[in-house]
Amino acid sequence: MTEQTAAPGSEEYLLQVKELKKYFPIGKSFSPKNRRYLKAVDGISFNLKRGKTVGIVGESGCGKTTMGRTVLRLYDVTGGSIIFDGKDISKLKGAALRRERPNFQMIFQDPYSSLSPRLPVGEIIGEAVRVHKIVPKSEYKDYIIDVMEKCGLQSHYFKRYPHEFSGGQRQRICIAKALALRPKLVICDEPVSALDVSIQAQVINLFKELQERDNLAYIFISHDLSVVEHISDEVGVMYLGNMVEFGKKDDLFDNPMHPYTQALFSAVPVPDPDVKMNRIILEGDIPSPANPPKGCKFHTRCRECMDICKEVEPAFVDYGNGHSVACHKYPQPEHRIETETPEGTEA
């Protein structure tokens, strides 16, 4: 398939995600009208600059991991586009997609289940290096050992197996495995959630050192807002497959605008016994992405819900300095409110 070129002026960004959708069919039906879909990712847009980090937060089931896997093309794209390094990769298949694979890699949440127990560490890290011919055969072992040492792994670990390592060391193996292909983008899916606090700090510092040295770009998916605040340049908040707020880290943490973002941030513990927490409690459960509510998807749990929220989906609007929010509390484009219908669009 022919690779499509991005529009002029996009060189500033390594990644541009535009109205990305990923729907999973539920059941089987010969008639398209009768098909039902689970809308795991439902129209997400954001940009990522070279050498920067975008943090993605949101409660379990909001579509963070599915979004990351779809950007990496581990899942096919239902709709929208993914512009990576000036090329639209959303429709690439076969050999054209394999050529792009080394440029974007993923670090998974569970370091043990993502490592083959039958292969030694050197082979785990070097398998894809050999397939993609990153270095000549004569330099293969020296290159793998160099990558290991840069990730804090000693050279004599080369012939050891994953079960011989601690959780922190396994995560370093996963990082080395991803970085061995010399990627431009790394998607980190809860990379420190399974580690204790001291090891978390070491791994996060390793991420930042590697980013400064190799100009890596990260999409950092996490539930831990303190980690996201430490490592990110920009932050996106997801709810039920949609991006409800996106902006620069300082703007978003200092002035969260969406009610869902405010509720998330109110749950962050403050290490001061004299500070009283003003916790915002969300009532009810998150709706099903297979049957999302009309209008704003958050209105069923929002304490500031208005009548329009139940009928009209809010636009994702930039209210200055790149701080975008989808909420009817703030001015909306007039044409959208006039033309939007409660029925919405079909999948």
Side-chain angles (χ1 to χ4, degrees), residues 263-300:
L264 277 184
F265 286 5
S266 75
V268 179
V270 177
D272 187 342
D274 298 325
V275 175
K276 184 177 180 180
M277 299 290 294
N278 295 318
R279 179 74 187 273
I280 300 173
I281 305 297
L282 296 179
E283 301 292 338
D285 297 323
I286 184 171
S288 169
N291 186 28
K294 293 181 182 180
C296 174
K297 293 180 179 179
F298 184 61
H299 84 260
T300 58

Short mmCIF file of all heavy atoms in Angstrom, two decimals, residues 263-300:
data_model
loop_
_atom_site.label_atom_id
_atom_site.label_comp_id
_atom_site.label_asym_id
_atom_site.label_seq_id
_atom_site.Cartn_x
_atom_site.Cartn_y
_atom_site.Cartn_z
N ALA A 263 -12.32 15.77 39.51
CA ALA A 263 -12.58 14.64 40.40
C ALA A 263 -11.35 13.73 40.50
O ALA A 263 -11.02 13.25 41.60
CB ALA A 263 -13.79 13.85 39.89
N LEU A 264 -10.68 13.49 39.37
CA LEU A 264 -9.47 12.67 39.39
C LEU A 264 -8.40 13.30 40.28
O LEU A 264 -7.79 12.62 41.12
CB LEU A 264 -8.92 12.51 37.97
CG LEU A 264 -9.49 11.45 37.05
CD1 LEU A 264 -8.71 11.44 35.74
CD2 LEU A 264 -9.45 10.07 37.68
N PHE A 265 -8.17 14.59 40.11
CA PHE A 265 -7.10 15.26 40.85
C PHE A 265 -7.43 15.36 42.33
O PHE A 265 -6.53 15.41 43.17
CB PHE A 265 -6.85 16.64 40.27
CG PHE A 265 -6.13 16.62 38.94
CD1 PHE A 265 -5.85 15.43 38.30
CD2 PHE A 265 -5.75 17.80 38.31
CE1 PHE A 265 -5.19 15.40 37.07
CE2 PHE A 265 -5.09 17.78 37.09
CZ PHE A 265 -4.81 16.58 36.47
N SER A 266 -8.72 15.41 42.66
CA SER A 266 -9.10 15.50 44.08
C SER A 266 -8.78 14.21 44.84
O SER A 266 -8.74 14.21 46.07
CB SER A 266 -10.59 15.82 44.20
OG SER A 266 -11.40 14.68 43.91
N ALA A 267 -8.58 13.11 44.10
CA ALA A 267 -8.28 11.82 44.72
C ALA A 267 -6.80 11.63 45.00
O ALA A 267 -6.42 10.63 45.63
CB ALA A 267 -8.78 10.69 43.84
N VAL A 268 -5.96 12.55 44.55
CA VAL A 268 -4.51 12.41 44.77
C VAL A 268 -4.19 12.73 46.23
O VAL A 268 -4.50 13.82 46.72
CB VAL A 268 -3.73 13.37 43.85
CG1 VAL A 268 -2.23 13.24 44.10
CG2 VAL A 268 -4.03 13.07 42.39
N PRO A 269 -3.58 11.80 46.97
CA PRO A 269 -3.28 12.06 48.38
C PRO A 269 -2.20 13.12 48.55
O PRO A 269 -1.24 13.18 47.75
CB PRO A 269 -2.81 10.69 48.90
CG PRO A 269 -2.32 9.97 47.69
CD PRO A 269 -3.17 10.45 46.55
N VAL A 270 -2.36 13.95 49.55
CA VAL A 270 -1.37 14.99 49.87
C VAL A 270 -0.59 14.57 51.11
O VAL A 270 -1.20 14.25 52.14
CB VAL A 270 -2.07 16.35 50.12
CG1 VAL A 270 -1.03 17.41 50.52
CG2 VAL A 270 -2.85 16.78 48.90
N PRO A 271 0.74 14.51 51.03
CA PRO A 271 1.55 14.03 52.17
C PRO A 271 1.68 15.07 53.28
O PRO A 271 2.79 15.46 53.66
CB PRO A 271 2.90 13.71 51.52
CG PRO A 271 2.98 14.66 50.36
CD PRO A 271 1.58 14.83 49.86
N ASP A 272 0.55 15.55 53.77
CA ASP A 272 0.54 16.52 54.86
C ASP A 272 -0.70 16.27 55.71
O ASP A 272 -1.83 16.47 55.26
CB ASP A 272 0.50 17.95 54.29
CG ASP A 272 0.66 19.01 55.37
OD1 ASP A 272 0.46 18.67 56.56
OD2 ASP A 272 0.96 20.16 55.04
N PRO A 273 -0.53 15.82 56.96
CA PRO A 273 -1.69 15.48 57.80
C PRO A 273 -2.57 16.68 58.15
O PRO A 273 -3.72 16.51 58.56
CB PRO A 273 -1.05 14.87 59.06
CG PRO A 273 0.34 15.43 59.09
CD PRO A 273 0.74 15.60 57.66
N ASP A 274 -2.05 17.89 58.00
CA ASP A 274 -2.82 19.08 58.34
C ASP A 274 -3.68 19.60 57.18
O ASP A 274 -4.49 20.51 57.37
CB ASP A 274 -1.88 20.21 58.80
CG ASP A 274 -1.11 19.83 60.06
OD1 ASP A 274 -1.71 19.13 60.90
OD2 ASP A 274 0.06 20.23 60.18
N VAL A 275 -3.47 19.04 55.98
CA VAL A 275 -4.23 19.47 54.81
C VAL A 275 -5.50 18.63 54.71
O VAL A 275 -5.44 17.40 54.70
CB VAL A 275 -3.39 19.33 53.52
CG1 VAL A 275 -4.25 19.67 52.30
CG2 VAL A 275 -2.19 20.26 53.58
N LYS A 276 -6.64 19.30 54.64
CA LYS A 276 -7.92 18.60 54.52
C LYS A 276 -8.23 18.39 53.04
O LYS A 276 -8.21 19.31 52.25
CB LYS A 276 -9.04 19.41 55.17
CG LYS A 276 -10.38 18.68 55.16
CD LYS A 276 -11.45 19.50 55.87
CE LYS A 276 -12.78 18.75 55.84
NZ LYS A 276 -13.86 19.52 56.54
N MET A 277 -8.50 17.14 52.67
CA MET A 277 -8.78 16.79 51.28
C MET A 277 -10.22 17.15 50.92
O MET A 277 -11.15 16.83 51.65
CB MET A 277 -8.57 15.29 51.05
CG MET A 277 -7.15 14.81 51.32
SD MET A 277 -5.99 15.41 50.10
CE MET A 277 -6.59 14.54 48.65
N ASN A 278 -10.39 17.87 49.82
CA ASN A 278 -11.72 18.18 49.30
C ASN A 278 -12.04 17.18 48.20
O ASN A 278 -12.01 17.50 47.01
CB ASN A 278 -11.77 19.61 48.77
CG ASN A 278 -11.56 20.64 49.87
OD1 ASN A 278 -12.12 20.48 50.96
ND2 ASN A 278 -10.78 21.67 49.59
N ARG A 279 -12.32 15.97 48.61
CA ARG A 279 -12.53 14.88 47.66
C ARG A 279 -13.87 15.03 46.94
O ARG A 279 -14.90 15.25 47.57
CB ARG A 279 -12.48 13.54 48.40
CG ARG A 279 -12.70 12.31 47.52
CD ARG A 279 -11.49 12.02 46.68
NE ARG A 279 -11.76 10.96 45.73
CZ ARG A 279 -11.63 9.65 45.99
NH1 ARG A 279 -11.24 9.27 47.19
NH2 ARG A 279 -11.87 8.76 45.06
N ILE A 280 -13.83 14.91 45.60
CA ILE A 280 -15.04 14.92 44.78
C ILE A 280 -15.40 13.46 44.49
O ILE A 280 -14.65 12.75 43.83
CB ILE A 280 -14.82 15.69 43.46
CG1 ILE A 280 -14.43 17.15 43.76
CG2 ILE A 280 -16.08 15.64 42.60
CD1 ILE A 280 -14.05 17.94 42.52
N ILE A 281 -16.54 13.03 45.00
CA ILE A 281 -16.97 11.65 44.84
C ILE A 281 -17.87 11.54 43.61
O ILE A 281 -18.89 12.24 43.50
CB ILE A 281 -17.73 11.15 46.09
CG1 ILE A 281 -16.88 11.34 47.34
CG2 ILE A 281 -18.13 9.69 45.91
CD1 ILE A 281 -15.59 10.55 47.35
N LEU A 282 -17.49 10.67 42.69
CA LEU A 282 -18.31 10.43 41.51
C LEU A 282 -19.35 9.35 41.83
O LEU A 282 -19.00 8.25 42.27
CB LEU A 282 -17.45 9.98 40.33
CG LEU A 282 -16.43 10.99 39.82
CD1 LEU A 282 -15.63 10.39 38.67
CD2 LEU A 282 -17.11 12.27 39.36
N GLU A 283 -20.61 9.67 41.61
CA GLU A 283 -21.68 8.71 41.88
C GLU A 283 -21.86 7.77 40.70
O GLU A 283 -21.70 8.16 39.54
CB GLU A 283 -23.00 9.47 42.14
CG GLU A 283 -22.94 10.44 43.31
CD GLU A 283 -22.80 9.73 44.64
OE1 GLU A 283 -23.16 8.54 44.72
OE2 GLU A 283 -22.33 10.37 45.61
N GLY A 284 -22.20 6.52 40.98
CA GLY A 284 -22.50 5.56 39.92
C GLY A 284 -21.25 4.96 39.30
O GLY A 284 -20.12 5.29 39.64
N ASP A 285 -21.49 4.06 38.36
CA ASP A 285 -20.42 3.37 37.66
C ASP A 285 -20.22 3.96 36.27
O ASP A 285 -21.10 4.61 35.71
CB ASP A 285 -20.74 1.88 37.51
CG ASP A 285 -20.84 1.19 38.87
OD1 ASP A 285 -20.06 1.56 39.76
OD2 ASP A 285 -21.71 0.31 39.03
N ILE A 286 -19.03 3.71 35.70
CA ILE A 286 -18.76 4.17 34.34
C ILE A 286 -19.70 3.43 33.37
O ILE A 286 -19.88 2.22 33.47
CB ILE A 286 -17.28 3.93 33.98
CG1 ILE A 286 -16.95 4.49 32.59
CG2 ILE A 286 -16.93 2.46 34.06
CD1 ILE A 286 -15.46 4.48 32.29
N PRO A 287 -20.37 4.15 32.46
CA PRO A 287 -21.28 3.49 31.50
C PRO A 287 -20.54 2.53 30.59
O PRO A 287 -19.30 2.58 30.47
CB PRO A 287 -21.88 4.66 30.71
CG PRO A 287 -21.66 5.86 31.55
CD PRO A 287 -20.39 5.61 32.31
N SER A 288 -21.28 1.66 29.94
CA SER A 288 -20.67 0.70 29.03
C SER A 288 -20.30 1.37 27.71
O SER A 288 -21.11 2.10 27.13
CB SER A 288 -21.65 -0.45 28.74
OG SER A 288 -21.17 -1.25 27.67
N PRO A 289 -19.06 1.14 27.21
CA PRO A 289 -18.70 1.69 25.90
C PRO A 289 -19.48 1.04 24.76
O PRO A 289 -19.46 1.54 23.64
CB PRO A 289 -17.20 1.37 25.79
CG PRO A 289 -16.96 0.26 26.75
CD PRO A 289 -17.96 0.43 27.86
N ALA A 290 -20.16 -0.07 25.04
CA ALA A 290 -21.01 -0.69 24.03
C ALA A 290 -22.35 0.03 23.91
O ALA A 290 -23.03 -0.10 22.89
CB ALA A 290 -21.23 -2.16 24.36
N ASN A 291 -22.73 0.77 24.94
CA ASN A 291 -24.00 1.49 24.92
C ASN A 291 -23.81 2.82 25.65
O ASN A 291 -24.38 3.05 26.72
CB ASN A 291 -25.09 0.65 25.59
CG ASN A 291 -26.45 1.30 25.47
OD1 ASN A 291 -26.73 2.05 24.53
ND2 ASN A 291 -27.32 1.03 26.45
N PRO A 292 -23.01 3.74 25.10
CA PRO A 292 -22.72 5.00 25.78
C PRO A 292 -23.96 5.90 25.82
O PRO A 292 -24.82 5.82 24.95
CB PRO A 292 -21.61 5.62 24.92
CG PRO A 292 -21.81 5.03 23.55
CD PRO A 292 -22.33 3.64 23.79
N PRO A 293 -24.06 6.76 26.82
CA PRO A 293 -25.21 7.67 26.91
C PRO A 293 -25.16 8.75 25.84
O PRO A 293 -24.11 9.04 25.27
CB PRO A 293 -25.06 8.27 28.31
CG PRO A 293 -23.61 8.15 28.62
CD PRO A 293 -23.14 6.90 27.95
N LYS A 294 -26.31 9.34 25.55
CA LYS A 294 -26.38 10.45 24.59
C LYS A 294 -25.66 11.67 25.16
O LYS A 294 -25.42 11.78 26.36
CB LYS A 294 -27.84 10.82 24.32
CG LYS A 294 -28.64 9.77 23.58
CD LYS A 294 -30.06 10.26 23.36
CE LYS A 294 -30.92 9.22 22.65
NZ LYS A 294 -32.30 9.70 22.45
N GLY A 295 -25.38 12.61 24.27
CA GLY A 295 -24.76 13.85 24.69
C GLY A 295 -23.37 13.64 25.25
O GLY A 295 -22.58 12.83 24.75
N CYS A 296 -23.06 14.34 26.32
CA CYS A 296 -21.77 14.16 26.99
C CYS A 296 -21.77 12.83 27.72
O CYS A 296 -22.67 12.53 28.51
CB CYS A 296 -21.54 15.31 27.97
SG CYS A 296 -20.05 15.12 28.98
N LYS A 297 -20.77 12.01 27.47
CA LYS A 297 -20.72 10.67 28.07
C LYS A 297 -20.55 10.72 29.59
O LYS A 297 -20.85 9.74 30.28
CB LYS A 297 -19.59 9.86 27.45
CG LYS A 297 -19.82 9.52 25.98
CD LYS A 297 -18.66 8.71 25.42
CE LYS A 297 -18.90 8.34 23.97
NZ LYS A 297 -17.77 7.56 23.39
N PHE A 298 -20.10 11.85 30.10
CA PHE A 298 -19.86 11.97 31.54
C PHE A 298 -21.08 12.48 32.30
O PHE A 298 -21.09 12.51 33.53
CB PHE A 298 -18.67 12.90 31.78
CG PHE A 298 -18.24 13.03 33.22
CD1 PHE A 298 -17.80 11.92 33.94
CD2 PHE A 298 -18.30 14.25 33.87
CE1 PHE A 298 -17.41 12.03 35.27
CE2 PHE A 298 -17.91 14.37 35.20
CZ PHE A 298 -17.47 13.25 35.89
N HIS A 299 -22.15 12.85 31.60
CA HIS A 299 -23.26 13.54 32.27
C HIS A 299 -23.97 12.68 33.30
O HIS A 299 -24.55 13.19 34.26
CB HIS A 299 -24.27 14.08 31.23
CG HIS A 299 -25.29 13.09 30.79
ND1 HIS A 299 -25.20 12.39 29.60
CD2 HIS A 299 -26.45 12.67 31.36
CE1 HIS A 299 -26.25 11.60 29.46
NE2 HIS A 299 -27.03 11.74 30.52
N THR A 300 -23.89 11.34 33.16
CA THR A 300 -24.56 10.46 34.12
C THR A 300 -23.89 10.47 35.50
O THR A 300 -24.49 10.02 36.47
CB THR A 300 -24.60 9.02 33.59
OG1 THR A 300 -23.26 8.57 33.35
CG2 THR A 300 -25.40 8.93 32.30
#
